[in-house]
């Protein structure tokens, strides 16, 4: 281990640390606003015991922030080489934990993904993200992704896909979707853009199949194939079997989406997709959260209603407002300006993380940095997207803003492992 004073010097990227502290502080203000009750007199809080105060989300978030600061010190004291050395071991332990979690966890909101350790509840799926990032980075450090074999591709795919498969088994689909973000980091390390294009095209076709009549799509794709063959006959005539194979796969996806939608997805998942397609389908049922969230954000106007003045917030119109829907508190009380500042903080942090990742001399450090940026970016886009009705409600938190110990500890660990790796790089440069 390195001594504590040696770690807290100019080698630490203090710009990123400052952004982290600012976002956590602003996040706590919004958690407080989301859980604030105008009927509870402030002087009554002073007479409550610690155990009674732990009934308030805003107070528990203070505890989580305090423990996160302690966690930061631990992460910076540990020799950064340990993160590379222990990556596979941590990954194996994480897989075992994900396997046993559904069997020992009690159901909470239809999901068996939370472990209860006394008064503390932890969600292993949150920690699986940074551990998978370490393992994938360790593996990519040993191969050239531009020249890897098919076996290497399978191993990397297995490392990435095994955790979300186990997370889905615990009925926590939202957290599993986050692992798609790793594709962005792999693309930076040389993954063929064709893979991204194929996946994006597949997602586009599935969305079209939900929105457009199947017969129209059948005719449309058939006409497009005929036009492509006619326009480039000399080139494509040698690939007619391949072209027909692609056409068959596309048509199979179009007509297979109904089976997947009706027989694979669970009822609440189907309803969330239906609400995304048609927001007015069930405004008092499944669509209630999104409807009230959009009302809250829209009512904030330019400058917002003011701290603790949000009516949608104070009177609990939006369920889960301190967790998944924390951004609607920002929109209502701080308005368009506050929302832009919040988005600006995330853009600044993401830009800084990419900058830190690019200056790493090792493939391990650079890949891990891009995994950090990709995971935070995915959470940021989907969380804000679902509060304004542009993404399905999948139950993932807004990093550093949403209430919750597992979320805060996970993102803190994710970020400060990168800063520890970066600090070690700087110290190595200074020695020479």
């Amino acid at each position: 281990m390195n001594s504590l004073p040696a770690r807290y010097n100019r080698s630490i990227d203090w710009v990123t640390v400052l952004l982290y502290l600012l976002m956590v502080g602003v996040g706590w203000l919004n958690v407080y606003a989301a859980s604030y009750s105008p009927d509870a007199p402030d002087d009554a809080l002073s007479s409550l015991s610690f155990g009674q105060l732990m009934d308030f989300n805003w107070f528990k978030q203070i505890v989580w922030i305090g423990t996160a600061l302690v966690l930061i010190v631990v992460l910076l004291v540990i020799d950064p080489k340990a993160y590379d050395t222990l990556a596979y071991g941590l990954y194996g332990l994480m897989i075992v934990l994900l396997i046993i979690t559904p069997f020992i966890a009690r159901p909470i909101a239809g999901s068996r993904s939370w472990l209860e350790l006394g008064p503390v509840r932890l969600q292993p799926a949150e920690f699986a993200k940074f551990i998978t990032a370490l393992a994938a980075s360790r593996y990519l450090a040993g191969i050239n992704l531009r020249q890897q074999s098919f076996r290497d591709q399978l191993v990397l795919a297995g490392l990435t896909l095994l955790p979300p498969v186990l997370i889905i088994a615990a009925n926590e689909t939202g957290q599993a979707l986050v692992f798609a973000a790793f594709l962005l980091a792999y693309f930076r390390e040389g993954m063929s853009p064709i893979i991204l294009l194929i996946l994006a095209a597949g997602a586009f076709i599935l969305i079209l199949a939900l929105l457009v009549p199947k017969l129209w799509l059948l005719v449309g794709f058939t006409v497009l194939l005929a036009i492509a063959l006619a326009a480039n006959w000399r080139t494509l005539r040698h690939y007619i079997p391949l072209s027909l194979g692609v056409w068959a796969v596309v048509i199979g996806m179009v007509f297979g989406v109904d089976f997947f939608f009706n027989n694979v997805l669970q009822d609440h998942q189907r309803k969330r997709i239906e609400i995304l397609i048609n927001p007015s389908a069930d405004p008092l049922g499944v669509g209630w959260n999104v409807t009230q969230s959009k009302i809250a954000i829209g009512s904030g106007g330019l400058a917002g209603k003011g701290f603790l003045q949000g009516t949608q917030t104070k009177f609990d119109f939006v369920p889960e407002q301190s967790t998944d829907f924390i951004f609607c508190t920002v929109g209502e009380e701080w308005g368009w300006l506050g929302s832009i500042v919040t988005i600006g903080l995330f853009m600044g942090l993401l830009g800084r993380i990419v900058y830190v990742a690019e200056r790493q001399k090792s493939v391990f450090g650079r890949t891990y940095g891009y995994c950090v940026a990709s995971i935070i970016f995915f959470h940021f886009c989907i969380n804000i997207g679902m509060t304004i009705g542009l993404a399905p409600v999948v139950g993932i938190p807004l990093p550093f803003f949403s209430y919750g110990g597992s979320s805060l500890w996970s993102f803190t660990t994710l970020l400060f492992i990168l800063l520890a790796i970066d600090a070690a790089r700087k110290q190595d440069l200074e020695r020479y």
Side-chain angles (χ1 to χ4, degrees):
M1 287 194 178
N2 297 299
S3 63
L4 183 59
R7 305 298 295 153
Y8 281 90
N9 56 28
R10 59 194 179 92
S11 296
I12 300 295
D13 190 81
W14 290 106
V15 174
T16 306
V17 174
L18 179 61
L19 286 169
Y20 166 83
L21 294 174
L22 184 59
M23 294 173 76
V24 169
V26 174
W28 180 84
L29 288 176
N30 286 282
V31 170
Y32 180 82
S35 56
Y36 169 74
S37 175
D39 298 327
D42 294 335
D43 56 354
L45 294 175
S46 60
S47 61
L48 298 179
S49 65
F50 179 84
Q52 291 172 318
L53 286 171
M54 285 294 285
D55 291 333
F56 297 92
N57 284 356
W58 61 266
F59 185 81
K60 283 192 285 189
Q61 191 70 0
I62 292 177
V63 175
W64 305 147
I65 291 173
T67 54
L69 295 178
V70 175
L71 179 61
I72 288 171
V73 176
V74 174
L75 291 170
L76 294 178
V77 167
I78 294 174
D79 188 340
K81 294 179 182 178
Y83 299 121
D84 187 339
T85 304
L86 299 176
Y88 290 154
L90 291 173
Y91 183 86
L93 291 175
M94 181 263 297
I95 293 299
V96 172
L97 186 59
L98 290 176
I99 290 174
I100 65 175
T101 294
F103 298 100
I104 62 177
R106 68 182 181 91
I108 298 176
S111 169
R112 290 182 177 272
S113 61
W114 293 88
L115 296 179
E116 296 182 346
L117 306 175
V120 179
R121 289 194 315 181
L122 297 176
Q123 190 176 30
E126 286 282 4
F127 301 95
K129 288 175 281 192
F130 78 81
I131 294 177
T132 303
L134 288 173
S137 301
R138 169 75 185 275
Y139 186 74
L140 284 173
I143 65 172
N144 185 334
L145 195 54
R146 292 181 174 85
Q147 301 174 357
Q148 85 284 26
S149 65
F150 182 68
R151 174 185 172 278
D152 292 331
Q153 295 178 6
L154 287 179
V155 172
L156 183 60
L159 279 173
T160 310
L161 293 177
L162 181 57
V165 168
L166 296 175
I167 292 170
I168 290 174
N171 200 20
E172 191 62 49
T173 309
Q175 293 288 0
L177 292 175
V178 177
F179 286 79
F182 283 89
L183 288 172
L184 298 177
Y186 299 160
F187 176 71
R188 167 60 182 84
E189 290 305 315
M191 185 184 72
S192 172
I194 295 176
I195 296 177
L196 288 179
L197 290 174
I198 291 174
L199 293 174
F204 179 70
I205 291 169
L206 292 176
I207 293 172
L208 277 181
L210 291 172
L211 299 174
V212 180
K214 306 295 185 295
L215 181 60
W216 291 11
L217 291 178
L218 173 62
V219 173
F221 285 122
T222 303
V223 170
L224 285 176
L225 176 61
I227 293 174
L229 289 173
N232 300 277
W233 176 251
R234 291 185 178 180
T235 302
L236 295 180
R237 63 179 179 176
H238 304 293
Y239 301 97
I240 289 180
L242 178 62
S243 301
L244 292 176
V246 172
W247 176 86
V249 170
V250 170
I251 298 305
M253 291 174 61
V254 168
F255 285 92
V257 70
D258 284 342
F259 176 84
F260 179 81
F261 188 79
N262 295 317
N263 297 281
V264 178
L265 294 181
Q266 298 182 20
D267 185 58
H268 70 280
Q269 295 169 333
R270 289 195 296 271
K271 289 181 178 178
R272 288 174 178 177
I273 295 176
E274 289 170 354
I275 289 298
L276 180 64
I277 296 173
N278 182 14
S280 61
D282 189 13
L284 299 179
V286 178
W288 175 263
N289 284 26
V290 176
T291 300
Q292 296 302 317
S293 175
K294 291 194 289 186
I295 291 173
I297 293 173
S299 67
L302 178 63
K305 297 176 181 177
F307 185 53
L308 303 181
Q309 301 304 310
T311 53
Q312 297 290 112
T313 296
K314 282 195 297 186
F315 299 112
D316 295 327
F317 280 99
V318 185
E320 309 296 337
Q321 188 161 347
S322 62
T323 53
D324 300 340
F325 284 84
I326 192 67
F327 186 74
C328 70
T329 304
V330 177
E332 182 178 27
E333 298 200 344
W334 306 102
W336 183 82
L337 294 176
S339 299
I340 290 299
V341 170
T342 299
I343 293 172
L345 286 173
F346 275 99
M347 290 295 98
L349 178 65
L350 289 169
R352 190 67 187 182
I353 291 172
V354 169
Y355 171 75
V356 170
E358 280 295 335
R359 69 186 182 188
Q360 301 307 304
K361 301 302 180 182
S362 68
V363 175
F364 174 80
R366 184 178 66 238
T367 305
Y368 181 77
Y370 271 94
C371 286
V372 173
S374 300
I375 292 169
I376 294 177
F377 177 74
F378 187 93
H379 271 266
F380 162 71
C381 290
I382 298 300
N383 181 276
I384 293 182
M386 71 186 192
T387 62
I388 58 178
L390 295 181
V393 179
V394 293
I396 61 174
L398 186 62
F400 313 118
F401 274 70
S402 293
Y403 161 78
S406 289
S407 171
L408 182 59
W409 293 345
S410 171
F411 284 113
T412 298
T413 304
L414 182 75
L415 180 61
F416 278 87
I417 286 178
L418 174 63
L419 295 189
I421 294 171
D422 182 61
R425 177 199 66 85
K426 286 186 175 181
Q427 290 180 344
D428 289 340
L429 289 176
E430 290 171 359
R431 291 193 189 102
Y432 298 99

